[in-house]
Amino acid sequence: MARLFFSGRHETGFRRARAVVIAAAALAGTAAIATPANAASASCAVVFDTGSHYVTGFTVPGHVVNTGTTAFTGWRISWTFTGDEKLFSLLTTKWTQTGQSVTAGNVSWNGTVNPGGAVTITAVGSSTNGVFGVTGLTCTPL
């Protein structure tokens, strides 16, 4: 069974926390800059299985997996299709597709993912000859 896999690191909270620390250090007259303990430990991956392909489309199951050592409370995935794929649904997500670019994120009940945990997603769509090809697959914990 073939899988598409990519992992990303959490940066948004790190940048925000770093800015607060820098501002506090400047006010206190010190040059010390601290980073949050969990900045490097929050990461995720999105994995799609081969799925079912038929003449005019596809149904491809996948998972957003917490590959880090801390829980996160939201996630975002994105990719670019390699052909004429069009999503009908990306189950258990809020998603958008513009041209070949797809971005999706958690819904209210599936944002928190503990270390080693996963959220199931399923891509359903149309394409010429049932192709489901992606590039630039990313996952970002929020």
Side-chain angles (χ1 to χ4, degrees), residues 100-119:
Q100 292 177 301
S101 298
V102 174
T103 301
N106 62 281
V107 292
S108 63
W109 53 269
N110 69 359
T112 301
V113 185
N114 291 317
V119 173

Side-chain angles (χ1 to χ4, degrees), residues 40-136:
S41 60
S43 63
C44 67
V46 58
V47 180
F48 284 107
D49 295 332
T50 302
S52 300
H53 301 268
Y54 40 93
V55 176
T56 60
F58 54 86
T59 300
V60 180
H63 305 281
V64 174
V65 181
N66 183 336
T67 58
T69 58
T70 60
F72 50 80
T73 57
W75 48 267
R76 181 177 54 246
I77 59 175
S78 63
W79 69 81
T80 302
F81 280 125
T82 58
D84 66 346
E85 297 92 337
K86 302 282 186 279
L87 284 178
F88 298 144
S89 176
L90 189 56
L91 300 175
T92 69
T93 73
K94 293 180 188 175
W95 62 276
T96 61
Q97 179 177 358
T98 304
Q100 292 177 301
S101 298
V102 174
T103 301
N106 62 281
V107 292
S108 63
W109 53 269
N110 69 359
T112 301
V113 185
N114 291 317
V119 173
T120 300
I121 59 175
T122 301
V124 180
S126 67
S127 67
T128 305
N129 299 322
V131 173
F132 179 80
V134 301
T135 62

